[in-house]
């Protein structure tokens, strides 16, 4: 997921169990990059039921597409 502010870096992990972060090299300065990376690495997936349900729906759609 392309991240350009700390809320998305943190919430992406907490709500969606995001495990990849992408930063725009021409639009993110080094200080902001470190802040975003820190927010991303310190966040933990909440495991809330509504988040697990959403991830299960995504996995179901992905398996239909690949035929797995």
């Amino acid at each position: 997921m392309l991240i350009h502010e700390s809320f998305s870096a943190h919430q992406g992990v907490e709500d969606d169990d995001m495990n990849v972060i992408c930063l725009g090299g021409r639009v993110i300065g080094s200080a902001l990059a470190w802040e975003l990376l820190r927010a991303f690495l310190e966040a933990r997936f909440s495991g809330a039921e509504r988040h697990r349900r959403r991830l299960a729906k995504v996995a179901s759609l992905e398996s239909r597409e690949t035929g797995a």
Side-chain angles (χ1 to χ4, degrees):
M1 172 181 247
L2 180 62
I3 300 296
H4 53 82
E5 35 73 36
S6 58
F7 177 81
S8 294
H10 193 265
Q11 286 306 117
V13 175
E14 283 194 348
D15 295 356
D16 299 323
D17 203 15
M18 181 173 74
N19 62 4
V20 174
I21 185 171
C22 299
L23 305 174
R26 294 183 185 218
V27 295
I28 302 292
S30 59
L32 179 56
W34 280 115
E35 178 185 329
L36 299 177
L37 189 57
R38 188 174 298 114
F40 174 78
L41 292 173
E42 291 176 355
R44 298 289 174 256
F45 178 56
S46 72
E49 179 61 30
R50 65 189 178 105
H51 300 145
R52 288 193 310 247
R53 279 194 312 266
R54 180 172 53 223
L55 292 173
K57 287 179 184 179
V58 170
S60 174
L61 290 170
E62 289 173 341
S63 68
R64 271 191 252 157
E65 282 185 11
T66 62

